[in-house]
Amino acid sequence: QVQLVESGGGLVQAGGSLRLSCVASGTIFGINAMGWYRQAPGKQRELVAVITSSGSTNYADSVKGRFTISRDNAKNTVYLQMNSLKPEDTSVYYCNAALKTSVWRASQDYWGQGTQVTVSP
């Protein structure tokens, strides 16, 4: 079994910073892309940022220049540094990993349970 566990969410004032972490554990053969998504009440889940195993990154336009995604492959961990936070960044943030549990299995998507980020005006 595979588990993704997020941490680092919380309440912060506008202009502040938070750092999210997500650790993947369990039977893992290899991890391809890891990313962060968010979902606000009444809205669809959206991509925030993604990073490949080689370190290539992609960001939603709304967070470019403010958020930075990084990963530690040795620790199966992905981070999201969020600076200059705005009230519209308020959402539940979900970690995602595309990974293989064995050499014979295709890559599958796994999700964390989500962590709440609330930005007050």
Side-chain angles (χ1 to χ4, degrees):
Q1 284 192 342
V2 174
Q3 273 194 316
L4 271 62
V5 179
E6 301 112 332
S7 61
L11 173 64
V12 65
Q13 286 190 327
S17 298
L18 283 174
R19 189 191 194 211
L20 305 182
S21 300
C22 171
V23 180
S25 63
T27 305
I28 298 172
F29 176 76
I31 304 178
N32 299 319
M34 300 186 81
W36 291 94
Y37 291 71
R38 65 187 182 187
Q39 186 168 20
K43 293 190 176 182
Q44 295 222 348
R45 190 172 296 189
E46 62 176 1
L47 172 70
V48 176
V50 64
I51 183 167
T52 68
S53 57
S54 61
S56 297
T57 59
N58 192 33
Y59 295 92
D61 287 343
S62 59
V63 307
K64 281 180 182 177
R66 301 187 298 122
F67 291 9
T68 302
I69 189 170
S70 61
R71 66 189 279 176
D72 185 333
N73 290 332
K75 296 180 179 179
N76 290 340
T77 300
V78 63
Y79 306 97
L80 186 68
Q81 178 66 43
M82 305 185 292
N83 299 328
S84 303
L85 282 161
K86 305 175 180 180
E88 51 263 43
D89 294 317
T90 296
S91 277
V92 177
Y93 284 70
Y94 295 91
C95 174
N96 170 270
L99 61 86
K100 299 179 68 170
T101 55
S102 78
V103 66
W104 300 280
R105 290 184 178 270
S107 180
Q108 287 184 289
D109 276 340
Y110 291 84
W111 293 89
Q113 79 287 354
T115 185
Q116 177 70 46
V117 171
T118 303
V119 184
S120 62

